[in-house]
Amino acid sequence: EAGVAQSPRYKIIEKRQSVAFWCNPISGHATLYWYQQILGQGPKLLIQFQNNGVVDDSQLPKDRFSAERLKGVDSTLKIQPAKLEDSAVYLCASSSFQTSGPSYEQYFGPGTRLTVT
Amino acid sequence: TQLLEQSPQFLSIQEGENLTVYCNSSSVFSSLQWYRQEPGEGPVLLVTVVTGGEVKKLKRLTFQFGDARKDSSLHITAAQPGDTGLYLCAGGPYYVPGNQFYFGTGTSLTVIP
């Protein structure tokens, strides 16, 4: 079974530029997450999709970050314009849909390391 | 405000030593997960504990969920260099659309050969 794919793996941009990340989840996984991970810290959820609908985007800085999952499969996360503090690893994860029960397993991609100079 | 605090934040030990990592919260969780993350990779799930007081073993790793479901611990026996990585706990509610999954602050473990 193929894992979660992300691209690019690395990106270096100057502040005020734009950048986009792509994620392809595990086939059949209805739920997709984007996390931001600052070096040495735990991941912070930015946005959660259920199929092509947004479930939670309460911690997404909407003035500069946007994300979409138009066909309910792959997803893009965009930053425009980037700031120095956006330097981090951006992780995509997916999980299968559950309506109840204990928390489910999330499968993570390798991440995109963004450096803003 | 960090919902899940891990301690210690950094740990460097010699091969063969034992260690314990703690994950604490003032909130109650329905389940607690432990992940290990290696440099340049995403976190990989090690275990999920769902019952208060539950103990699970995975080879040399022992995971415990506190009776009150507010804390958890990870104990590694006879650590090996391959155990090196960032250990993350994550607390989750019963799955309800919109409920967030919270990660801890992380413990960076280095095992020296």
Side-chain angles (χ1 to χ4, degrees):
Chain A
E1 177 181 78
V4 177
Q6 288 188 248
S7 67
R9 291 295 308 273
Y10 306 92
K11 190 73 177 180
I12 301 174
I13 61 172
E14 295 181 351
K15 59 183 179 182
R16 292 187 290 274
Q17 286 188 325
S18 302
V19 65
F21 313 127
W22 174 83
C23 172
N24 186 253
I26 292 174
S27 178
H29 280 190
T31 309
L32 185 148
Y33 315 80
W34 283 102
Y35 289 89
Q36 180 191 59
Q37 186 176 25
I38 305 294
L39 183 64
Q41 298 181 14
K44 182 185 81 170
L45 180 68
L46 293 175
I47 189 167
Q48 177 182 342
F49 290 96
Q50 188 69 34
N51 296 308
N52 60 350
V54 175
V55 174
D56 184 351
D57 63 356
S58 57
Q59 296 198 82
L60 186 73
K62 298 180 184 66
D63 58 334
R64 299 183 300 106
F65 286 65
S66 64
E68 59 182 15
R69 194 185 185 198
L70 293 176
K71 297 182 179 179
V73 181
D74 54 357
S75 175
T76 56
L77 175 69
K78 297 179 182 178
I79 307 175
Q80 179 180 8
K83 293 184 176 181
L84 296 177
E85 58 261 37
D86 298 331
S87 293
V89 174
Y90 290 84
L91 294 164
C92 178
S94 70
S95 67
S96 56
F97 179 72
Q98 287 181 243
T99 57
S100 63
S103 293
Y104 40 89
E105 178 173 358
Q106 299 179 64
Y107 296 84
F108 285 84
T112 297
R113 181 177 297 277
L114 174 67
T115 302
V116 182
T117 62
Chain B
T1 302
Q2 192 72 36
L3 200 59
L4 283 164
E5 295 287 345
Q6 288 184 235
S7 61
Q9 186 177 359
F10 298 97
L11 192 55
S12 181
I13 62 172
Q14 294 290 330
E15 181 177 0
E17 293 183 348
N18 302 331
L19 66 114
T20 301
V21 177
Y22 300 93
C23 174
N24 296 296
S25 176
S26 58
S27 299
V28 175
F29 293 99
S30 296
S31 66
L32 232 296
Q33 297 182 343
W34 284 93
Y35 290 79
R36 182 171 71 207
Q37 184 177 21
E38 298 185 16
E41 301 295 332
V44 175
L45 181 68
L46 296 174
V47 76
T48 299
V49 285
V50 299
T51 305
E54 181 177 4
V55 176
K56 279 192 175 180
K57 291 190 175 183
L58 184 66
K59 296 182 180 179
R60 294 177 294 100
L61 279 60
T62 301
F63 305 86
Q64 185 163 9
F65 199 12
D67 291 340
R69 293 181 169 178
K70 293 183 177 181
D71 55 85
S72 181
S73 64
L74 158 61
H75 182 79
I76 301 179
T77 303
Q80 299 178 0
D83 296 327
T84 294
L86 180 68
Y87 287 81
L88 297 160
C89 65
Y94 277 98
Y95 183 75
V96 176
N99 278 21
Q100 195 174 111
F101 205 84
Y102 298 97
F103 276 84
T105 49
T107 295
S108 180
L109 170 65
T110 301
V111 181
I112 303 167

